[in-house]
Amino acid sequence: MSQPQDDTSERVGDRVPRRFWVGVVALIIYILFAAVLGNIAGSFAPEGDVTAEFALSHLIPLPIAIGLALWFVWWAGWWRDVWRNTSTLRMRPRRLWLIAIPVLLVALPLVQLPGIPWAERGLGTVMIVLVGTIMVGFGEELVIRGIVFTALRERHGELVTLLATSLLFGAAHTVGSVWAGVPPAAIAFQVAFLSMTGSLYYWVRRVTGRLWVGMAIHALTDFTLYLASGEANAVEALSSSDDLGPMTPVLVTIQTLLIVLAIAGVISAAREDHRARKARRIAADPQA
């Protein structure tokens, strides 16, 4: 398998080997708390009380799930590499066009914020959603673009890491969809859509070299989505497209550019792997 081009290598002193299956187990445990326990807790909310449902489904299970993930990262010896990597801007070629991905991902929720009916939401609801979405962004990025990402890049190339983390990101959200009784076709669309979004967050990490940037963008995006839709969970929020405001030319342009960049990102990851393999062949046999 091709190896990444930056600062990952076999680590001395890790308590847990960096293997894909380890990342998958960590993700499953996170889902059991964040999604399964979250849905169970949310079911105890009074009928029709969206704010209470959001609070119960987020503020109770997520601190547990995040705490376990942080403990694992520290105990396993993965701490530094989970939080940072060599930025693509320090590599050759620098691929400056990749900067557009984090920029547009920030712009997308920002242009939607003015359209949120703030007066209808109330300060208490806004604060609860703010805290909850910060935890969602922190937890999901920590596990998927942190733990799973680190586990994969130890032995696999960038294309495998990009595709696997993106697909797992999409699949991880099917628990809420199944729980809510969403039709299979709609679930498949959500997985595809979220997998594309996951590939963009992969590049946020690679470009900036810092996991916290993706966490912040993820939290801002979810904050806007929840408040715009007025729903208590991600499945309903994604399904409530009529509540997200008009599709202005600016929004359409940003979303179109992000789709194009997601496709270009897959190609760029494949080319990066090709360059890495070529460099290893030359290093092994300079006369070749």
Side-chain angles (χ1 to χ4, degrees), residues 140-225:
E140 291 186 5
E141 293 303 311
L142 175 62
V143 175
I144 297 176
R145 253 76 59 178
I147 296 173
V148 179
F149 175 96
T150 302
L152 272 166
R153 290 183 87 226
E154 189 68 23
R155 291 180 174 272
H156 302 279
E158 298 303 336
L159 182 60
V160 171
T161 304
L162 184 156
L163 294 177
T165 54
S166 300
L167 288 171
L168 287 173
F169 180 68
H173 291 79
T174 61
V175 174
S177 299
V178 173
W179 189 281
V182 175
I187 292 176
F189 173 79
Q190 289 171 3
V191 170
F193 173 79
L194 289 170
S195 295
M196 185 198 72
T197 303
S199 73
L200 295 171
Y201 281 119
Y202 161 90
W203 285 113
V204 171
R205 162 150 195 168
R206 291 289 316 283
V207 172
T208 64
R210 298 294 184 270
L211 182 61
W212 71 263
V213 180
M215 290 175 168
I217 296 175
H218 192 152
L220 174 62
T221 301
D222 282 2
F223 176 75
T224 304
L225 178 65

Side-chain angles (χ1 to χ4, degrees), residues 120-143:
E120 298 177 14
R121 300 298 180 243
L123 180 60
T125 296
V126 170
M127 295 307 298
I128 289 173
V129 172
L130 176 62
V131 174
T133 51
I134 288 174
M135 288 193 291
V136 170
F138 188 99
E140 291 186 5
E141 293 303 311
L142 175 62
V143 175

